[in-house]
Structure formats: structure tokens, C-alpha cells
Coordinates of all heavy atoms in Angstrom, one line a residue:
M1 N -19.2 21.6 -17.8 CA -17.7 21.4 -17.7 C -17.3 20.0 -17.7 O -18.0 19.2 -17.0 CB -17.1 22.2 -16.5 CG -15.7 22.7 -16.8 SD -15.2 23.7 -15.4 CE -14.3 22.5 -14.4
K2 N -16.4 19.6 -18.5 CA -15.9 18.2 -18.5 C -15.1 17.9 -17.3 O -14.4 18.7 -16.7 CB -15.0 18.0 -19.7 CG -15.8 17.4 -20.9 CD -14.7 17.0 -22.0 CE -15.4 16.3 -23.2 NZ -14.4 16.0 -24.2
K3 N -15.2 16.6 -16.9 CA -14.5 16.2 -15.7 C -13.0 15.9 -16.2 O -12.8 15.1 -17.2 CB -15.1 14.9 -15.2 CG -15.4 15.0 -13.7 CD -15.8 13.7 -13.1 CE -15.9 13.8 -11.6 NZ -16.0 12.5 -11.0
T4 N -12.1 16.5 -15.5 CA -10.7 16.3 -16.0 C -9.8 15.6 -14.9 O -8.6 15.8 -14.9 CB -10.1 17.6 -16.4 OG1 -10.3 18.6 -15.3 CG2 -10.7 18.2 -17.7
T5 N -10.5 14.9 -14.1 CA -9.7 14.2 -13.0 C -8.5 13.4 -13.4 O -7.5 13.4 -12.8 CB -10.7 13.3 -12.1 OG1 -12.0 13.6 -12.5 CG2 -10.5 13.5 -10.7
N6 N -8.7 12.8 -14.6 CA -7.6 11.9 -15.0 C -6.6 12.6 -15.9 O -5.5 12.1 -16.2 CB -8.2 10.7 -15.8 CG -9.0 9.8 -15.0 OD1 -8.7 9.6 -13.8 ND2 -10.1 9.2 -15.5
R7 N -6.9 13.8 -16.3 CA -5.9 14.6 -17.1 C -5.7 15.9 -16.5 O -6.2 17.0 -17.0 CB -6.5 14.7 -18.5 CG -6.4 13.4 -19.3 CD -7.0 13.6 -20.6 NE -7.2 12.3 -21.3 CZ -7.7 12.1 -22.5 NH1 -7.9 13.2 -23.2 NH2 -7.8 10.9 -23.0
I8 N -5.0 15.9 -15.4 CA -4.7 17.1 -14.7 C -3.7 17.9 -15.4 O -2.7 17.4 -15.8 CB -4.2 16.8 -13.2 CG1 -5.2 15.9 -12.5 CG2 -4.0 18.1 -12.5 CD1 -6.6 16.5 -12.3
Q9 N -4.0 19.2 -15.6 CA -3.1 20.1 -16.4 C -2.1 20.7 -15.5 O -1.1 21.3 -15.9 CB -3.9 21.1 -17.1 CG -4.9 20.6 -18.1 CD -4.2 19.7 -19.2 OE1 -3.2 20.1 -19.8 NE2 -4.7 18.6 -19.5
F10 N -2.3 20.7 -14.2 CA -1.4 21.3 -13.2 C -0.1 20.5 -13.1 O -0.1 19.4 -13.5 CB -2.0 21.3 -11.8 CG -3.2 22.2 -11.7 CD1 -4.5 21.6 -11.6 CD2 -3.2 23.5 -11.5 CE1 -5.6 22.3 -11.4 CE2 -4.3 24.3 -11.4 CZ -5.5 23.7 -11.3
I11 N 0.9 21.2 -12.6 CA 2.1 20.4 -12.1 C 1.6 19.5 -11.0 O 1.0 20.0 -10.0 CB 3.2 21.3 -11.7 CG1 3.6 22.3 -12.8 CG2 4.4 20.5 -11.2 CD1 4.4 23.5 -12.4
P12 N 1.8 18.2 -11.1 CA 1.2 17.3 -10.1 C 1.5 17.7 -8.6 O 0.5 17.7 -7.8 CB 1.9 16.0 -10.3 CG 2.2 16.0 -11.8 CD 2.6 17.5 -12.1
K13 N 2.7 18.1 -8.3 CA 3.0 18.5 -6.9 C 2.2 19.7 -6.5 O 1.8 19.9 -5.3 CB 4.5 18.7 -6.7 CG 5.2 17.5 -6.4 CD 6.6 17.7 -6.1 CE 7.3 16.3 -5.8 NZ 8.8 16.5 -5.7
M14 N 2.0 20.6 -7.4 CA 1.2 21.8 -7.1 C -0.2 21.4 -6.8 O -0.9 22.0 -5.9 CB 1.3 22.8 -8.3 CG 1.0 24.2 -7.9 SD 0.7 25.2 -9.4 CE 2.3 25.7 -9.8
Y15 N -0.7 20.5 -7.6 CA -2.1 20.1 -7.5 C -2.3 19.5 -6.1 O -3.2 19.8 -5.4 CB -2.4 19.0 -8.5 CG -3.8 18.4 -8.4 CD1 -4.8 19.0 -9.1 CD2 -4.1 17.4 -7.6 CE1 -6.1 18.5 -9.0 CE2 -5.4 16.9 -7.4 CZ -6.4 17.5 -8.1 OH -7.7 17.0 -8.0
C16 N -1.3 18.7 -5.6 CA -1.4 18.0 -4.3 C -1.3 19.1 -3.2 O -2.0 19.0 -2.2 CB -0.3 17.0 -4.1 SG -0.6 15.6 -5.2
G17 N -0.5 20.1 -3.5 CA -0.4 21.2 -2.5 C -1.7 21.9 -2.3 O -2.0 22.4 -1.2
I18 N -2.5 22.0 -3.3 CA -3.8 22.7 -3.3 C -4.9 21.8 -2.8 O -5.6 22.1 -1.8 CB -4.1 23.4 -4.6 CG1 -3.1 24.4 -5.1 CG2 -5.5 24.0 -4.6 CD1 -3.1 24.7 -6.5
F19 N -5.0 20.7 -3.4 CA -6.1 19.8 -3.1 C -5.8 18.6 -2.2 O -6.7 17.9 -1.8 CB -6.7 19.2 -4.5 CG -7.2 20.3 -5.4 CD1 -6.4 20.7 -6.5 CD2 -8.4 20.9 -5.2 CE1 -6.8 21.7 -7.3 CE2 -8.8 21.9 -6.0 CZ -8.1 22.3 -7.1
G20 N -4.6 18.4 -1.9 CA -4.2 17.3 -1.1 C -3.9 16.1 -1.9 O -4.3 16.0 -3.1
H21 N -3.2 15.1 -1.3 CA -2.8 13.9 -2.1 C -4.0 13.0 -2.3 O -5.0 13.0 -1.5 CB -1.8 13.1 -1.3 CG -0.5 13.9 -1.2 ND1 0.4 14.1 -2.2 CD2 0.1 14.5 -0.1 CE1 1.4 14.8 -1.8 NE2 1.3 15.0 -0.5
N22 N -4.0 12.3 -3.3 CA -5.1 11.3 -3.6 C -4.5 9.9 -3.6 O -4.1 9.3 -4.6 CB -5.7 11.6 -5.0 CG -6.9 10.8 -5.3 OD1 -7.5 10.2 -4.4 ND2 -7.3 10.7 -6.5
Y23 N -4.4 9.4 -2.4 CA -3.7 8.1 -2.2 C -4.6 6.9 -2.6 O -5.8 6.9 -2.3 CB -3.2 7.9 -0.8 CG -2.1 8.8 -0.4 CD1 -2.3 9.8 0.5 CD2 -0.9 8.7 -1.0 CE1 -1.2 10.7 0.8 CE2 0.2 9.5 -0.7 CZ 0.0 10.5 0.2 OH 1.0 11.4 0.5
Q24 N -4.0 5.9 -3.2 CA -4.7 4.7 -3.5 C -3.8 3.5 -3.1 O -2.6 3.6 -3.2 CB -5.0 4.6 -5.0 CG -6.1 5.5 -5.5 CD -6.8 5.0 -6.7 OE1 -6.1 4.5 -7.6 NE2 -8.1 5.2 -6.7
V25 N -4.5 2.5 -2.6 CA -3.7 1.3 -2.1 C -3.1 0.6 -3.4 O -3.8 0.3 -4.3 CB -4.6 0.3 -1.4 CG1 -3.9 -1.0 -1.0 CG2 -5.3 0.9 -0.2
T26 N -1.8 0.5 -3.3 CA -1.1 -0.1 -4.5 C -0.6 -1.5 -4.1 O -0.3 -2.3 -5.0 CB 0.1 0.7 -4.9 OG1 0.8 1.2 -3.8 CG2 -0.4 1.9 -5.7
R27 N -0.5 -1.8 -2.8 CA 0.0 -3.1 -2.5 C -0.5 -3.5 -1.1 O -0.5 -2.6 -0.2 CB 1.5 -3.1 -2.5 CG 2.2 -4.4 -2.4 CD 3.6 -4.2 -2.7 NE 4.4 -5.3 -2.1 CZ 5.7 -5.2 -1.7 NH1 6.3 -4.0 -1.8 NH2 6.3 -6.2 -1.2
K28 N -1.0 -4.7 -0.9 CA -1.4 -5.1 0.4 C -0.3 -6.0 0.9 O 0.0 -7.1 0.4 CB -2.7 -5.9 0.3 CG -3.9 -5.0 0.2 CD -5.2 -5.7 0.1 CE -6.3 -4.7 -0.1 NZ -7.6 -5.4 -0.4
V29 N 0.4 -5.6 2.0 CA 1.5 -6.4 2.5 C 1.0 -7.4 3.5 O 1.3 -8.6 3.3 CB 2.6 -5.4 3.2 CG1 3.7 -6.2 3.7 CG2 3.0 -4.3 2.2
T30 N 0.3 -7.0 4.5 CA -0.4 -7.9 5.4 C -1.8 -7.4 5.6 O -2.2 -6.4 4.9 CB 0.3 -7.9 6.8 OG1 0.1 -6.7 7.4 CG2 1.8 -8.2 6.7
Y31 N -2.6 -7.9 6.5 CA -3.9 -7.4 6.8 C -3.9 -6.0 7.2 O -4.8 -5.2 7.0 CB -4.6 -8.3 7.9 CG -4.9 -9.7 7.5 CD1 -4.4 -10.7 8.3 CD2 -5.6 -10.0 6.3 CE1 -4.6 -12.1 7.9 CE2 -5.8 -11.3 5.9 CZ -5.4 -12.3 6.7 OH -5.6 -13.6 6.4
Y32 N -2.8 -5.6 7.9 CA -2.8 -4.3 8.5 C -1.9 -3.3 7.7 O -2.1 -2.1 7.8 CB -2.3 -4.4 10.0 CG -3.1 -5.4 10.7 CD1 -2.6 -6.6 11.1 CD2 -4.4 -5.1 11.1 CE1 -3.3 -7.5 11.8 CE2 -5.2 -6.0 11.8 CZ -4.6 -7.3 12.1 OH -5.3 -8.2 12.8
V33 N -0.9 -3.8 7.1 CA 0.1 -3.0 6.4 C -0.2 -2.9 4.9 O -0.3 -3.9 4.3 CB 1.6 -3.5 6.7 CG1 2.6 -2.6 6.0 CG2 1.9 -3.6 8.2
K34 N -0.3 -1.7 4.5 CA -0.6 -1.5 3.0 C 0.4 -0.4 2.5 O 0.9 0.4 3.3 CB -2.0 -1.1 2.8 CG -3.0 -2.2 3.1 CD -4.4 -1.6 2.8 CE -5.4 -2.7 3.2 NZ -5.8 -2.6 4.6
E35 N 0.6 -0.4 1.2 CA 1.3 0.7 0.6 C 0.4 1.5 -0.3 O -0.5 1.0 -0.9 CB 2.4 0.1 -0.3 CG 3.6 -0.5 0.5 CD 4.7 -1.1 -0.3 OE1 4.7 -0.9 -1.5 OE2 5.6 -1.8 0.3
Y36 N 0.6 2.8 -0.2 CA -0.3 3.7 -0.9 C 0.5 4.6 -1.8 O 1.7 4.9 -1.5 CB -1.0 4.7 0.1 CG -1.8 4.0 1.1 CD1 -1.2 3.6 2.3 CD2 -3.1 3.8 1.0 CE1 -1.9 2.9 3.3 CE2 -3.9 3.1 2.0 CZ -3.2 2.7 3.1 OH -4.0 2.1 4.1
T37 N 0.0 4.9 -3.0 CA 0.6 5.8 -3.9 C -0.3 6.9 -4.3 O -1.5 6.7 -4.6 CB 1.1 5.1 -5.2 OG1 1.9 4.0 -4.8 CG2 1.9 6.0 -6.1
C38 N 0.2 8.2 -4.3 CA -0.7 9.3 -4.7 C -0.8 9.3 -6.3 O 0.2 9.1 -7.0 CB 0.0 10.6 -4.3 SG -0.9 12.0 -4.9
N39 N -2.0 9.4 -6.7 CA -2.3 9.4 -8.1 C -1.6 10.5 -8.9 O -1.4 10.3 -10.1 CB -3.9 9.6 -8.3 CG -4.6 8.3 -8.2 OD1 -4.0 7.2 -8.2 ND2 -5.9 8.4 -8.2
H40 N -1.4 11.6 -8.2 CA -0.9 12.8 -8.9 C 0.6 12.9 -8.9 O 1.2 13.1 -9.9 CB -1.6 14.0 -8.4 CG -3.1 13.9 -8.4 ND1 -3.7 13.8 -9.6 CD2 -4.0 13.9 -7.4 CE1 -5.0 13.8 -9.3 NE2 -5.2 13.8 -8.0
C41 N 1.2 12.8 -7.7 CA 2.6 13.1 -7.6 C 3.4 11.8 -7.4 O 4.7 11.9 -7.3 CB 2.9 14.1 -6.5 SG 2.6 13.5 -4.9
K42 N 2.8 10.7 -7.3 CA 3.4 9.4 -7.1 C 4.1 9.2 -5.8 O 5.0 8.4 -5.6 CB 4.4 9.1 -8.3 CG 3.7 9.1 -9.6 CD 2.6 8.1 -9.8 CE 1.8 8.4 -11.1 NZ 0.5 7.8 -11.1
K43 N 3.8 10.1 -4.8 CA 4.4 10.0 -3.5 C 3.9 8.7 -2.9 O 2.7 8.3 -3.0 CB 4.0 11.2 -2.6 CG 4.6 11.2 -1.3 CD 4.1 12.4 -0.5 CE 4.3 12.3 1.0 NZ 5.6 12.8 1.4
Q44 N 4.7 7.9 -2.2 CA 4.3 6.7 -1.6 C 4.3 6.7 -0.1 O 5.2 7.2 0.5 CB 5.2 5.6 -2.1 CG 5.0 5.2 -3.6 CD 5.9 4.1 -4.0 OE1 7.1 4.1 -3.9 NE2 5.2 3.1 -4.5
L45 N 3.3 6.1 0.5 CA 3.2 5.9 1.9 C 3.0 4.5 2.3 O 2.6 3.7 1.5 CB 1.9 6.7 2.4 CG 1.9 8.2 2.4 CD1 0.6 8.7 3.0 CD2 3.1 8.8 3.1
T46 N 3.3 4.2 3.5 CA 3.0 2.8 4.0 C 2.6 2.9 5.5 O 2.7 4.0 6.1 CB 4.3 1.9 3.9 OG1 3.9 0.6 4.3 CG2 5.4 2.4 4.8
T47 N 2.0 1.9 6.0 CA 1.6 1.8 7.4 C 2.7 1.2 8.2 O 3.3 0.2 7.8 CB 0.4 0.9 7.5 OG1 -0.4 0.8 6.3 CG2 -0.6 1.3 8.6
N48 N 3.1 1.9 9.3 CA 4.1 1.3 10.1 C 3.6 0.4 11.2 O 2.3 0.3 11.3 CB 5.1 2.4 10.7 CG 4.4 3.3 11.7 OD1 3.2 3.0 12.1 ND2 5.1 4.3 12.2
S49 N 4.4 -0.1 12.1 CA 4.0 -1.0 13.1 C 3.0 -0.4 14.1 O 2.3 -1.1 14.8 CB 5.2 -1.6 13.8 OG 6.0 -0.5 14.3
N50 N 2.9 0.9 14.2 CA 2.0 1.6 15.1 C 0.7 1.9 14.4 O -0.2 2.4 15.0 CB 2.6 2.9 15.6 CG 3.8 2.6 16.4 OD1 3.9 1.6 17.1 ND2 4.8 3.5 16.2
G51 N 0.6 1.6 13.1 CA -0.6 1.8 12.4 C -0.7 3.2 11.8 O -1.7 3.7 11.3
N52 N 0.4 4.0 11.9 CA 0.4 5.3 11.3 C 0.9 5.3 9.9 O 1.7 4.4 9.5 CB 1.4 6.2 12.2 CG 0.9 6.3 13.6 OD1 -0.3 6.5 13.9 ND2 1.8 6.3 14.5
L53 N 0.5 6.3 9.2 CA 1.0 6.4 7.8 C 2.3 7.2 7.8 O 2.4 8.2 8.3 CB 0.0 7.1 6.9 CG -1.2 6.3 6.5 CD1 -2.2 7.2 5.8 CD2 -0.9 5.1 5.7
I54 N 3.3 6.6 7.1 CA 4.6 7.2 7.0 C 5.1 7.1 5.5 O 4.6 6.3 4.8 CB 5.6 6.6 7.9 CG1 5.5 5.0 7.8 CG2 5.5 7.0 9.4 CD1 6.8 4.3 8.2
E55 N 6.1 7.9 5.2 CA 6.6 7.9 3.9 C 7.3 6.6 3.6 O 8.0 6.0 4.4 CB 7.6 9.1 3.7 CG 7.8 9.5 2.3 CD 8.6 10.8 2.1 OE1 8.5 11.7 3.0 OE2 9.5 10.8 1.2
L56 N 7.1 6.1 2.4 CA 7.6 4.8 2.0 C 9.1 5.0 1.5 O 9.3 5.3 0.4 CB 6.8 4.1 1.0 CG 7.2 2.7 0.5 CD1 7.1 1.7 1.7 CD2 6.4 2.2 -0.6
T57 N 10.0 4.8 2.5 CA 11.4 4.9 2.1 C 11.9 3.5 1.7 O 11.3 2.5 1.9 CB 12.2 5.4 3.3 OG1 12.0 4.4 4.4 CG2 11.8 6.8 3.8
P58 N 13.1 3.5 1.0 CA 13.7 2.2 0.6 C 13.8 1.2 1.8 O 13.6 0.0 1.6 CB 15.0 2.6 0.1 CG 14.9 4.0 -0.4 CD 13.9 4.6 0.5
K59 N 14.1 1.8 3.0 CA 14.2 0.9 4.1 C 12.8 0.2 4.5 O 12.8 -1.0 4.8 CB 14.6 1.8 5.3 CG 15.2 0.9 6.5 CD 15.4 1.8 7.7 CE 15.5 0.9 8.9 NZ 15.5 1.7 10.1
F60 N 11.8 1.0 4.4 CA 10.5 0.4 4.6 C 10.0 -0.5 3.5 O 9.2 -1.4 3.8 CB 9.4 1.6 4.9 CG 9.4 2.0 6.3 CD1 10.1 3.1 6.7 CD2 8.8 1.2 7.3 CE1 10.1 3.5 8.1 CE2 8.8 1.6 8.6 CZ 9.4 2.7 9.0
K61 N 10.4 -0.2 2.3 CA 10.1 -1.2 1.2 C 10.7 -2.5 1.5 O 10.1 -3.6 1.3 CB 10.7 -0.6 -0.1 CG 9.7 0.2 -0.9 CD 10.2 0.5 -2.3 CE 9.3 1.4 -3.0 NZ 9.8 1.8 -4.3
E62 N 11.9 -2.5 2.0 CA 12.6 -3.7 2.4 C 11.8 -4.5 3.5 O 11.6 -5.7 3.4 CB 14.0 -3.4 2.9 CG 15.1 -4.2 2.2 CD 16.5 -3.6 2.7 OE1 16.9 -4.0 3.7 OE2 17.0 -2.7 1.9
I63 N 11.5 -3.7 4.5 CA 10.7 -4.3 5.7 C 9.4 -4.9 5.2 O 9.1 -6.0 5.6 CB 10.5 -3.2 6.8 CG1 11.8 -2.7 7.4 CG2 9.5 -3.7 7.8 CD1 11.7 -1.5 8.3
N64 N 8.7 -4.1 4.3 CA 7.4 -4.6 3.8 C 7.6 -5.9 3.0 O 6.8 -6.8 3.0 CB 6.8 -3.6 2.9 CG 6.1 -2.5 3.8 OD1 6.1 -2.6 5.0 ND2 5.6 -1.4 3.1
A65 N 8.7 -6.0 2.2 CA 9.0 -7.2 1.5 C 9.1 -8.4 2.4 O 8.6 -9.5 2.1 CB 10.2 -7.0 0.6
I66 N 9.8 -8.2 3.5 CA 10.0 -9.3 4.4 C 8.7 -9.6 5.1 O 8.3 -10.8 5.2 CB 11.1 -8.9 5.5 CG1 12.4 -8.7 4.8 CG2 11.1 -9.9 6.6 CD1 13.4 -7.9 5.7
L67 N 7.9 -8.6 5.5 CA 6.6 -8.8 6.1 C 5.7 -9.6 5.2 O 5.0 -10.5 5.7 CB 6.0 -7.5 6.4 CG 6.4 -6.7 7.7 CD1 5.7 -5.4 7.8 CD2 6.0 -7.6 9.0
E68 N 5.7 -9.2 4.0 CA 4.9 -9.9 3.0 C 5.2 -11.4 2.9 O 4.3 -12.2 2.8 CB 5.0 -9.2 1.6 CG 3.9 -9.6 0.6 CD 4.1 -8.9 -0.7 OE1 5.2 -8.6 -1.1 OE2 3.1 -8.7 -1.4
R69 N 6.5 -11.7 2.9 CA 7.0 -13.0 2.8 C 6.5 -13.9 4.0 O 5.9 -15.0 3.8 CB 8.5 -13.1 2.7 CG 9.0 -14.1 1.7 CD 10.5 -14.1 1.6 NE 11.0 -12.7 1.2 CZ 12.2 -12.3 1.5 NH1 13.0 -13.0 2.3 NH2 12.6 -11.1 1.1
I70 N 6.6 -13.3 5.2 CA 6.2 -13.9 6.4 C 4.7 -14.1 6.4 O 4.2 -15.2 6.7 CB 6.6 -13.1 7.6 CG1 8.1 -13.0 7.7 CG2 6.0 -13.7 8.9 CD1 8.6 -12.0 8.7
H71 N 4.0 -13.1 6.0 CA 2.5 -13.1 5.9 C 2.0 -14.2 5.0 O 1.1 -15.0 5.3 CB 2.0 -11.8 5.4 CG 0.5 -11.7 5.4 ND1 -0.3 -11.7 6.5 CD2 -0.3 -11.5 4.4 CE1 -1.5 -11.6 6.2 NE2 -1.6 -11.4 4.9
K72 N 2.6 -14.3 3.8 CA 2.2 -15.4 2.8 C 2.5 -16.8 3.4 O 1.6 -17.7 3.2 CB 2.9 -15.1 1.5 CG 2.2 -14.1 0.7 CD 2.9 -13.9 -0.7 CE 2.2 -12.8 -1.5 NZ 3.0 -12.4 -2.6
K73 N 3.6 -16.9 4.0 CA 3.9 -18.2 4.6 C 2.9 -18.6 5.6 O 2.5 -19.8 5.7 CB 5.3 -18.2 5.2 CG 6.4 -18.6 4.3 CD 7.7 -18.8 5.1 CE 8.9 -18.9 4.1 NZ 10.2 -18.7 4.8
R74 N 2.5 -17.6 6.4 CA 1.6 -17.9 7.5 C 0.2 -18.3 6.9 O -0.4 -19.2 7.4 CB 1.4 -16.6 8.3 CG 1.1 -16.9 9.8 CD 1.0 -15.6 10.6 NE 2.3 -15.1 10.9 CZ 2.5 -13.8 11.4 NH1 1.6 -13.0 11.5 NH2 3.7 -13.4 11.7
I75 N -0.2 -17.6 5.9 CA -1.5 -17.9 5.2 C -1.4 -19.4 4.7 O -2.4 -20.1 4.9 CB -1.8 -16.9 4.1 CG1 -2.2 -15.6 4.7 CG2 -2.9 -17.4 3.2 CD1 -2.3 -14.5 3.7
Q76 N -0.3 -19.7 4.0 CA -0.2 -21.0 3.5 C -0.3 -22.1 4.5 O -1.0 -23.1 4.4 CB 1.2 -21.2 2.7 CG 1.0 -21.1 1.3 CD 2.4 -21.1 0.6 OE1 3.4 -21.0 1.2 NE2 2.4 -21.1 -0.7
R77 N 0.4 -21.8 5.7 CA 0.4 -22.8 6.8 C -1.0 -23.0 7.3 O -1.4 -24.0 7.6 CB 1.4 -22.3 7.8 CG 2.2 -23.5 8.4 CD 3.1 -23.0 9.5 NE 4.2 -22.1 9.0 CZ 4.8 -21.1 9.7 NH1 4.4 -20.9 10.9 NH2 5.7 -20.4 9.1
L78 N -1.7 -21.8 7.4 CA -3.1 -21.9 7.9 C -4.0 -22.7 7.0 O -4.8 -23.5 7.4 CB -3.7 -20.5 8.0 CG -3.3 -19.7 9.3 CD1 -3.9 -18.3 9.2 CD2 -4.0 -20.4 10.5
K79 N -3.8 -22.5 5.7 CA -4.6 -23.3 4.7 C -4.3 -24.8 4.8 O -5.3 -25.5 4.8 CB -4.2 -22.8 3.3 CG -5.0 -21.7 2.8 CD -4.7 -21.4 1.3 CE -5.2 -20.0 0.9 NZ -4.6 -19.5 -0.3
I80 N -3.1 -25.1 4.9 CA -2.7 -26.5 5.1 C -3.3 -27.1 6.4 O -3.9 -28.2 6.4 CB -1.2 -26.7 5.1 CG1 -0.6 -26.4 3.7 CG2 -0.8 -28.2 5.5 CD1 0.9 -26.2 3.7
K81 N -3.3 -26.3 7.4 CA -3.9 -26.7 8.7 C -5.4 -27.0 8.6 O -5.9 -28.0 9.0 CB -3.6 -25.6 9.7 CG -3.1 -26.1 11.1 CD -3.0 -24.9 12.0 CE -2.6 -25.3 13.4 NZ -2.5 -24.2 14.2
T82 N -6.1 -26.1 7.9 CA -7.5 -26.3 7.8 C -7.9 -27.5 6.9 O -8.8 -28.2 7.2 CB -8.2 -25.0 7.2 OG1 -7.3 -24.4 6.3 CG2 -8.5 -24.0 8.3
I83 N -7.0 -27.7 5.9 CA -7.3 -28.8 5.0 C -7.1 -30.1 5.8 O -8.0 -31.0 5.7 CB -6.4 -28.8 3.7 CG1 -6.8 -27.6 2.8 CG2 -6.4 -30.1 3.0 CD1 -5.7 -27.2 1.8
T84 N -6.0 -30.2 6.5 CA -5.7 -31.5 7.2 C -6.7 -31.7 8.3 O -7.1 -32.8 8.6 CB -4.3 -31.5 7.8 OG1 -4.1 -30.2 8.4 CG2 -3.2 -31.7 6.7
S85 N -7.1 -30.6 9.0 CA -8.1 -30.8 10.1 C -9.5 -31.2 9.6 O -10.2 -31.8 10.3 CB -8.2 -29.5 10.9 OG -8.7 -28.4 10.2
S86 N -9.8 -30.8 8.3 CA -11.1 -31.2 7.8 C -11.1 -32.6 7.3 O -12.1 -33.2 7.2 CB -11.5 -30.2 6.7 OG -10.6 -30.3 5.6
I87 N -9.9 -33.1 7.0 CA -9.7 -34.5 6.6 C -9.8 -35.4 7.8 O -10.6 -36.4 7.8 CB -8.4 -34.8 5.8 CG1 -8.4 -34.0 4.4 CG2 -8.2 -36.2 5.5 CD1 -7.1 -33.9 3.8
C88 N -9.1 -35.1 8.8 CA -9.0 -35.9 10.0 C -10.3 -35.9 10.9 O -11.0 -35.0 10.9 CB -7.8 -35.5 10.9 SG -6.3 -35.7 10.0
Ligands
ZN1 ZN1 0.3 13.8 -4.2

């Protein structure tokens, strides 16, 4: 039998109902917060501040965008710090 993982003939939502969601990381917001999307039904999840997985609502998308911005700034600042400390 051929493997048909990539070409599911079922209605995606029905497939997830039977086999469960197949989440993949679609975006890394910070070290701890990530966004996941189901391969089949495109349902999106994210990690909240308690480390639990919750549905990715527009509100959480907004929060994640802010978190990502802060996180990137922090990384940049750390990089600059290490560069300057290695020079001095
Ligand atoms: Zn799904």
C-alpha cells in the first residue's frame, strides 16, 4: 500500500477527529513560546505564559508579535554586549 500521508482523501477535520491533530512548529516566538499549525485542518495553537498549549486566537497572535519583538531586541542587545566585552 502506498503511503498517502501527504494526500489525505478525508475531510481534514474528520481526519483529525479520528487520528488526532498533527501539529508542526510554524513560528518560534521566543525560546519558550512557539506557534503550531495542524497539517490537516490548519488549526493553530500557541504556548501561553504558563507553558500550556492554547488555541491561537487573534489576541494571542498580537501578544506573540509583541513578545517576538521584545525577544529579538533582547538577543540583539546580548550580541552587542558579548562583542563589546570580548573587545575590552
Ligand atoms: Zn487538525
